[in-house]
Structures are given as C-alpha cells and as structure tokens.
Amino acid sequence: MINLELPKKLRASANQAHQVAAQIFRPISRKYDLAEHEYPVELDTMAAMVDGLSDSGTQKISGAAGGRSDEGEGPATLPVNANGGNMSALLNALETSWGDVGLMLSIPYQGLGNAAIAAVATDEQLERFGKVWASMAITEPSFGSDSAAVTTTAVLDGDEWVLNGEKIFVTAGQRSTHIVVWASVDRSLGRAAIKSFVVPRDAPGLSVARLEHKLGIKASDTAVLLLQDCRIPKDNILGSPEVNVEKGFAGVMQTFDNTRPMVAAMAIGVTRAALEELRTILTDAGIEISYDTPPNSQHAAAAEFLRMEADYESAYLLAMRAAWMADNKQPNSLQASMSKAKAGRTGTDVTLKAVELAGAVGYSQRLLLEKWGRDSKILDIFEGTQQIQQLIVARRVLNKTSAELK
C-alpha cells in the first residue's frame, strides 16, 4: 500500500514555510514586482531565522538547496523509507513559492547552486561550503538547453584553477556569496571534461556585467557574469577532477536530479496559489464546483477548474516521487524530468487560464493572478526547457542515447 500522508516532521516544516509565505512574502509580493533589482530587505530577518533553525538542528524553512538524507538502510533485509533533505526541500520550496517564487529564489543561503553542492560535493566540501549562498551558472551566450556545449574553461595552474568565460541568466548572480560554475577542463575531450566549480563572490577576475530586466520573478536578480582569469583554490572543484570519457559528464548532470524536482515544486506552489484564488472568484460569482457531478454537466468554468486541479495533483505526486527516490538513493533522472515537465507545463496553463477566467480583475493588478502568470513561465524554462525534459523522458523510456535520439 502507498501511504501518501506526510510524516509529522515534514508537516511541521512545511507549515512553518507556509506561515512565512503568508505573513512575509504575500504582503510584499507586489512591492518587489514593481521594484525590480531592489533588494528585499525583509529577507534579512528571514535569513537570520533560517540560520538559527539550521544551527539548532531544526528543518530549514526554505529549500532550493536539496540535500542528502542522513537516513539510509536499516538491517540488511529491511530497507528504510527515508524522507530526508530532498523531500523537505521540495515541500518548503512549494510552500514559499505559494507566497512568491521570486522572493523564494532571493532567500539568502538557499540558492540553486546549493543543490549542486549537496549532490556531488565531498564530505570535506560539504563542511566547508555548508553555509554559503550558492547560485548556479551554466547557460552561456552560445547555448541554452544543451548543457554539453559549455565553452567556459578551467585550467589548472599550480594550486589554483583559472576560469575564463561568460555566464548568462544566473539567478541570484549578484546577491549570492558563491557561484557554482560549469566549465570544461579540456574542450578536446567533449562533455566528459565538463566539471562544476565553486567560485567565491570575491574571487579575483569574477564580475557582474549587468542585471537582466525580466517578464516575471522580478524580486530575484538575474545576472550576466564574466570570468576573466578568475582564480579559485584547486580543491574548489566539485567531485573528481579526473576526466572519465566513458562515464561522460553524468556526475555533473546529477545536479539536475536534485534541482529539477525543486523547480517543479516552485511551479506547483504558484499553481496552487492561482487555483485557490480562482476558486474564490468562481464561488463569489455563484459558480459551484462539484466533485459529485460529471464535468460536462457543470458550468464550463467549473469543468475547467476540475481539469486544472487534476493536473495540479498529478504534478504534485510526480515531484514527490522524484524527491522520495533521491532521498532513498534510487536513480531518479527519469522521474526528475517527468516532474519538471509536468509541473512547468501545468504552471503556465493554470495561471494563464486563471487570468482568463477571472476576466478584467484577473488581468489587472488588483490581484496577483497576472503576476503569477508572468512568474510561471520561467519555471517551464530554466533547469531545462519543456522540450528538453520531454526529450530526456523519451530517451529513458525508449532506452536511447543522446546520439540516437536528438
């Protein structure tokens, strides 16, 4: 039997995150949507609270960070169902994104780069980078979804790596304390030579070229970073520096197995916010949503609501499964991409349909519906577009390589 009830410790953590979303994020959501690039000073209190909870051993309130589960196997014949860092991070990302996904992405020390550190760092690196705010720098001007096309280089010079290249669309790229940079240690060896490096904000040669003006998530800064003979310590490379041509860059790509369910959770949080607002609007308009009557026998708006709610539930369960598998050390690349694809598509569909069904009030700034419609689009793009996720799913299902199915 599958038990879909959340464990007590996760319910408490998710409830904490929801209170933050409702009491801190929602009241300032429009303020920072209209003040792009202005730092949300209210998050400093939030950061102090998160840090205090971490020091006391309490679950983090937010969590793009993901993480490893300390729970493993029990006796040899009795495996333990672990609900660890990934599940907690997913639920907390969902709840805080219900409040405001841009602000969620702006919480100090909760960057997407932290998920990369959690996924592939050594124990020593986890200790050293345990309290950093790490953003993720993958995309370059010459490519978007093809992560294997990285042109940024990393050359070992004595006890230091020297990085050169340009990274674009770096979430929290200006505010974070560290950047996880994807770079090639030997471009002649192709994708197998792509590694990830932790670059401190004050590293010589690292600079912010500009901040982007965006459609949504305006509370979050999105930067263009330049690495010009940027020097970092030799042991700031995540994982092994050795190039294994047969293995490819699976170790680096493992990062996405952690971050894609997190981004799915963000989309699910925004989706739920839009559905709740739409339900209130429909109810106030006298439209009853019934679960005992076939959709084709109900008001058209009610039937649409039921369809969208079913998609929301599907996305939620897929994301939960992907996170659970990560916590239980099961390969979840297929499930991570499935959850990201479903949640991203559902988020854009539901938020824009909610704007449409709400009419003039949905299109105006009187409510947050139109903002959620703008915010949701990026959640179907970053960490791998809808098309890329479908391609990955197809390869896994059909057992095809990237060379066989492009």
Side-chain angles (χ1 to χ4, degrees):
M1 179 181 293
I2 300 175
N3 184 0
L4 299 179
E5 184 179 359
L6 294 178
K8 184 177 180 180
K9 68 174 183 177
L10 295 187
R11 288 201 303 272
S13 176
N15 181 63
Q16 239 178 358
H18 185 78
Q19 294 306 313
V20 167
Q23 297 173 23
I24 299 179
F25 286 9
R26 280 287 180 94
I28 62 174
S29 185
R30 181 64 72 184
K31 172 184 175 181
Y32 289 104
D33 182 55
L34 298 173
E36 189 170 16
H37 300 157
E38 184 177 327
Y39 178 69
V41 293
E42 294 86 348
L43 296 185
D44 288 338
T45 302
M46 173 80 203
M49 191 184 309
V50 170
D51 196 42
L53 288 169
S54 298
D55 289 340
S56 67
T58 308
Q59 290 284 353
K60 291 185 177 181
I61 288 178
S62 179
R68 298 173 178 175
S69 170
D70 292 331
E71 304 176 58
E73 295 289 319
T77 59
L78 189 63
V80 175
N81 287 326
N83 290 293
N86 287 282
M87 183 70 79
S88 177
L90 183 142
L91 291 169
N92 295 336
L94 188 159
E95 294 294 346
T96 46
S97 296
W98 173 91
D100 187 284
V101 71
L103 290 170
M104 181 269 171
L105 288 166
S106 301
I107 299 174
Y109 311 107
Q110 301 293 303
L112 287 170
N114 291 90
I117 294 172
V120 297
T122 64
D123 290 340
E124 182 275 329
Q125 289 172 330
L126 285 173
E127 180 70 24
R128 190 153 47 97
F129 299 127
K131 289 192 175 181
V132 305
W133 179 4
S135 52
M136 185 98 82
I138 301 175
T139 307
E140 299 178 1
S142 60
F143 79 90
S145 295
D146 184 8
S147 301
V150 168
T151 61
T152 297
T153 58
V155 177
L156 191 60
D157 182 19
D159 290 332
E160 293 181 317
W161 289 100
V162 181
L163 279 68
N164 281 281
E166 179 180 356
K167 296 294 183 178
I168 62 175
F169 301 134
V170 182
T171 302
Q174 182 183 50
R175 299 171 185 165
S176 59
T177 64
H178 291 68
I179 319 291
V180 174
V181 176
W182 284 30
S184 174
V185 297
D186 187 344
R187 293 194 62 194
S188 67
L189 296 179
R191 63 176 60 195
I194 297 173
K195 304 289 181 178
S196 50
F197 301 81
V198 181
V199 181
R201 161 67 52 211
D202 57 0
L206 173 65
S207 62
V208 177
R210 70 173 184 274
L211 296 179
E212 301 288 358
H213 293 277
K214 309 184 296 296
L215 173 70
I217 59 167
K218 294 190 175 187
S220 171
D221 65 304
T222 303
V224 174
L225 301 180
L226 295 180
L227 298 125
Q228 299 168 305
D229 291 330
C230 177
R231 290 181 171 271
I232 61 172
K234 180 180 179 180
D235 56 0
N236 275 30
I237 184 172
L238 292 177
S240 170
E242 301 300 322
V243 177
N244 186 331
V245 178
E246 292 182 1
K247 185 178 179 181
F249 69 146
V252 176
M253 288 298 290
Q254 185 183 349
T255 295
F256 287 129
D257 297 343
N258 276 26
T259 59
R260 281 171 177 160
M262 297 306 111
V263 175
M266 296 176 206
I268 293 163
V270 178
T271 300
R272 195 181 78 194
L275 284 173
E276 290 175 357
E277 189 71 71
L278 180 60
R279 181 188 285 274
T280 299
I281 293 170
L282 295 179
T283 300
D284 290 346
I287 298 173
E288 180 185 358
I289 301 169
S290 173
Y291 295 94
D292 299 321
T293 306
N296 59 358
S297 299
Q298 297 188 53
H299 190 287
E304 272 292 271
F305 184 91
L306 291 172
R307 176 191 67 80
M308 293 188 294
E309 193 174 54
D311 279 340
Y312 160 79
E313 292 287 350
S314 299
Y316 173 78
L317 292 173
L318 281 169
M320 292 284 281
R321 181 188 183 191
W324 180 89
M325 291 178 71
D327 280 338
N328 286 273
K329 298 179 174 56
Q330 296 182 14
N332 73 331
S333 178
L334 170 62
Q335 290 75 18
S337 286
M338 287 172 65
S339 68
K340 170 65 169 62
K342 179 65 175 180
R345 184 170 63 244
T346 297
T348 55
D349 171 44
V350 169
T351 54
L352 292 178
K353 181 58 72 171
V355 169
E356 177 186 325
L357 292 176
V361 71
Y363 197 71
S364 73
Q365 291 188 354
R366 288 164 58 189
L367 302 176
L368 291 171
L369 278 176
E370 59 82 26
K371 177 186 180 301
W372 294 332
R374 289 185 286 109
D375 287 346
S376 66
K377 189 56 192 175
I378 189 59
L379 303 176
D380 197 29
I381 297 174
F382 67 10
E383 297 299 294
T385 64
Q386 178 70 212
Q387 294 78 12
I388 287 295
Q389 304 308 328
Q390 291 181 12
L391 185 58
I392 293 171
V393 170
R395 287 171 181 164
R396 296 291 185 272
V397 171
L398 299 175
N399 196 28
K400 298 287 187 181
T401 66
S402 57
E404 294 172 319
L405 187 58
K406 298 181 180 180

